[in-house]
Amino acid sequence: MDLLDQLGETFLNWEEMAKVVPSLLTVGLPNTLILALASGILGSLLGLLLALMGISRNPVARWAARIYTDLFRGLPAILVILVIGIGLSPIARELTGNRNPYPLGILALTLIAGAYIGEIFRSGIQSVEKGQLEASRALGFSYGKSMRLVVVPQGIRRVLPALVNQFISLLKDSSLVFVLGLAASDREIFRIGNDAMANTGNLSPLVAAGVLYLILTVPLTHFVNFIDNRLRTGRPEKKEPDELAAPIGKGAQA
Amino acid sequence: MTEFTSGTLTGKNLHLSFGHNHVLRGIDLHVEKGTTASVIGPSGSGKSTLLRVMNRLIEPDQGDILLDGRSVLKDNPDELRQRIGMVFQQFNLFPHKTVLDNVSLALRKLRKLSKDEARAEALEQLDLVGLKHKADARPANLSGGQQQRVAIARALAMKPEVMFFDEATSALDPELVKGVLALMTDLAKGGMTMVVVTHEMGFSRNVSDTVTFMDAGVVVESGPPEQIFTAPATDRLKGFLSDVL
């Protein structure tokens, strides 16, 4: 029983957990959400731009998007965060007079997310049937307007599940900004759990942090499955037969 | 069916190659204002490509396109396409928009009508094709025949001077073909200038004013339907007709 008690003490020390929960909720949670949402939204805009460049007829744009995507998908997130966060900090200080690495953390996460989201958007846009662009152009819409009004909205709809998955990744990867050494009020869930662990020598605060991540990510995972199903099967609406044709061809319907 | 402000369309010596594949080899096609020209021929003969070249969805390598006697090759191709409606084999309605929005989209964004004006106009067009009551439905919830009639309404809403039909009934179940052909016949009788690429020999023979037979990127024979169907001059046309009739 000693061993079990020891494990319980190490991972599930309720007292240590209770101590860290307030700061997890009031400091860690908002910061994790800000990091993930800000880089998710900015990354989506960047991703859309990359996707449109990736399918454009201009070879320079295509290549630029290709190289960017290879670069930021091919590097470990933590390396990008360190290089951007530390490497750009003198420039950021020069420009804004701000020494806080937090915005640079958002920038690094955005640059990474943009590469992945760009590929998601590109696959979605390219999955839209060629006839859609053709029909839109035949009405007299320019290429740009056709993309904006007809093709891109359909493409984005198809990749919503993949986008939510990407956001789940981002929620988790936001923890990596801890390497930039953020001010106490800027720390996210992982860093707060990690600090408490370091102070107490007990793993329970990290377990609490983990539970908080799961509370965020598990419902999102199930939400993905839900919209995925919904997109696949659509709402249950029944097809109506063509009134003009109904009197003619009842037998041929089958 | 209302009267249309239709135009005369002429293609002159149109050439197009995709790499080494010479798809159009000097096509001439003249469609007098208010008449219907059908284009028949085996698949792969370049019929559908010809339509796409004549509204400049694909730019020709050589030749000229005239609308009411004036070359349109120097015009903005987007403006040219507003003057030429097109209906596709696969309907190509916008699935993320309602039937009404499919028809009114170009009215609002290209003809710059207000939302209410566009709606009224679109409902009128839908009424003409007998689908006003489906205005709020999604395309996916319509039958193929209904979808194609919406596609026709969408093209007509732009008040085109010429209408192109690219095998408009080929993807339809047999019992749905009739309604669409009836609508096309009404348009032809109403004075619309039409170019109809079709496998429906009955329509080609009974409704069109001229028939053009294409094979391997050239016009093999062209003339009034009686001549083409009852007195084909070439072996190629004779062979084709014996295959399809």
Side-chain angles (χ1 to χ4, degrees):
Chain A
M1 279 295 108
D2 270 4
L3 198 61
L4 271 186
D5 283 346
Q6 201 189 330
L7 282 176
E9 164 61 25
T10 311
F11 291 109
L12 300 170
N13 183 324
W14 305 118
E15 212 175 302
E16 294 300 341
M17 279 194 194
K19 267 194 246 165
V20 78
V21 162
S23 53
L24 276 181
L25 291 179
T26 57
V27 180
L29 180 63
N31 278 320
T32 291
L33 289 177
I34 290 170
L35 287 166
L37 283 172
S39 57
I41 292 166
L42 294 172
S44 294
L45 295 175
L46 176 60
L48 189 57
L49 177 70
L50 286 167
L52 291 173
M53 286 168 68
I55 59 173
S56 96
R57 276 167 292 187
N58 179 342
V60 177
R62 273 204 315 273
W63 272 98
R66 193 69 260 155
I67 290 168
Y68 179 94
T69 307
D70 284 351
L71 200 64
F72 281 92
R73 283 205 316 177
L75 291 170
I78 197 158
L79 188 149
V80 174
I81 290 168
L82 265 177
V83 168
I84 300 282
I86 294 170
L88 295 188
S89 82
I91 300 172
R93 205 181 313 152
E94 195 78 16
L95 289 175
T96 63
N98 190 342
R99 328 172 53 93
N100 189 342
Y102 196 78
L104 289 175
I106 291 178
L107 174 65
L109 288 172
T110 298
L111 294 177
I112 299 165
Y116 285 96
I117 294 173
E119 287 296 278
I120 293 172
F121 278 149
R122 189 173 62 82
S123 72
I125 292 168
Q126 285 183 323
S127 79
V128 175
E129 296 74 20
K130 207 172 133 267
Q132 291 290 312
L133 178 61
E134 202 173 41
S136 171
R137 306 271 350 235
L139 279 170
F141 285 111
S142 64
Y143 176 82
K145 274 190 174 166
S146 298
M147 292 305 274
R148 188 160 57 78
L149 295 170
V150 174
V151 179
V152 170
Q154 292 184 58
I156 290 180
R157 211 165 293 217
R158 290 179 194 194
V159 295
L160 276 180
L163 279 181
V164 180
N165 272 328
Q166 193 55 44
F167 183 68
I168 293 172
S169 268
L170 210 42
L171 265 177
K172 296 183 294 177
D173 285 352
S174 67
S175 62
L176 295 171
V177 299
F178 85 93
V179 296
L180 298 180
L182 296 168
S185 61
D186 289 343
R187 292 181 182 170
E188 35 61 56
I189 296 173
F190 168 76
R191 178 64 194 266
I192 286 180
N194 196 46
D195 284 354
M197 182 201 71
N199 289 338
T200 60
N202 188 291
L203 274 174
S204 302
L206 264 187
V207 172
V211 169
L212 187 49
Y213 276 114
L214 289 176
I215 290 172
L216 294 174
T217 54
V218 171
L220 278 175
T221 313
H222 288 269
F223 178 63
V224 171
N225 295 340
F226 170 77
I227 52 175
D228 202 18
N229 265 324
R230 185 65 166 270
L231 285 174
R232 215 190 307 277
T233 56
R235 254 163 294 183
E237 278 174 301
K238 63 168 190 269
K239 254 190 174 179
E240 286 175 54
D242 192 316
E243 301 91 325
L244 280 188
I248 309 166
K250 274 179 196 145
Q253 204 82 31
Chain B
M1 193 57 59
T2 46
E3 290 294 320
F4 303 103
T5 15
S6 45
T8 296
L9 181 71
T10 311
K12 274 189 182 163
N13 190 31
L14 292 168
H15 281 267
L16 179 74
S17 299
F18 296 124
H20 293 298
N21 189 6
H22 203 162
V23 189
L24 301 180
R25 300 161 179 256
I27 300 279
D28 291 305
L29 184 74
H30 179 78
V31 193
E32 198 59 43
K33 173 183 169 152
T35 67
T36 295
S38 58
V39 182
I40 60 173
S43 37
S45 56
K47 310 181 297 284
S48 296
T49 309
L50 174 63
L51 288 185
R52 284 162 176 74
V53 165
M54 291 192 65
N55 70 1
R56 294 178 65 199
L57 276 174
I58 307 171
E59 297 289 349
D61 296 335
Q62 217 192 96
D64 202 356
I65 302 160
L66 308 154
L67 194 48
D68 285 332
R70 195 181 68 82
S71 174
V72 291
L73 279 185
K74 295 254 176 346
D75 292 3
N76 177 343
D78 297 332
E79 277 162 24
L80 171 66
R81 286 191 288 266
Q82 292 184 35
R83 302 169 66 189
I84 302 181
M86 185 159 182
V87 176
F88 300 87
Q89 182 175 359
Q90 298 296 341
F91 329 135
N92 295 347
L93 292 181
F94 307 136
H96 60 305
K97 296 193 176 291
T98 63
V99 164
L100 183 82
D101 288 343
N102 263 275
V103 181
S104 64
L105 183 69
L107 296 176
R108 280 190 291 129
K109 305 285 180 181
L110 292 174
R111 277 180 49 198
K112 307 285 182 198
L113 298 188
S114 74
K115 210 171 173 190
D116 290 339
E117 288 169 331
R119 186 188 158 81
E121 178 80 44
L123 283 174
E124 197 176 308
Q125 293 300 332
L126 284 170
D127 201 22
L128 283 179
V129 302
L131 288 170
K132 196 179 176 183
H133 62 291
K134 292 290 184 191
D136 297 321
R138 295 271 166 177
N141 296 314
L142 302 184
S143 73
Q146 289 174 328
Q147 288 189 50
Q148 194 59 298
R149 278 147 58 203
V150 172
I152 293 172
R154 176 174 72 178
L156 287 177
M158 290 299 285
K159 305 258 184 270
E161 293 154 56
V162 181
M163 281 285 283
F164 286 178
F165 292 85
D166 184 18
E167 300 189 15
T169 58
S170 297
L172 294 176
D173 289 340
E175 79 273 15
L176 303 180
V177 169
K178 242 185 185 175
V180 172
L181 286 181
L183 181 56
M184 290 165 64
T185 306
D186 282 350
L187 290 178
K189 292 200 171 126
M192 176 57 82
T193 307
M194 314 214 297
V195 185
V196 182
V197 167
T198 187
H199 293 297
E200 291 288 335
M201 293 304 142
F203 180 90
S204 177
R205 186 169 188 162
N206 299 322
V207 181
S208 47
D209 300 285
T210 62
V211 182
T212 297
F213 171 64
M214 276 179 70
D215 193 13
V218 295
V219 172
V220 178
E221 262 188 72
S222 179
E226 306 80 59
Q227 179 196 320
I228 295 293
F229 285 99
T230 57
T234 57
D235 289 341
R236 275 204 270 183
L237 177 54
K238 281 177 198 160
F240 175 74
L241 289 176
S242 72
D243 285 343
V244 296
L245 290 180

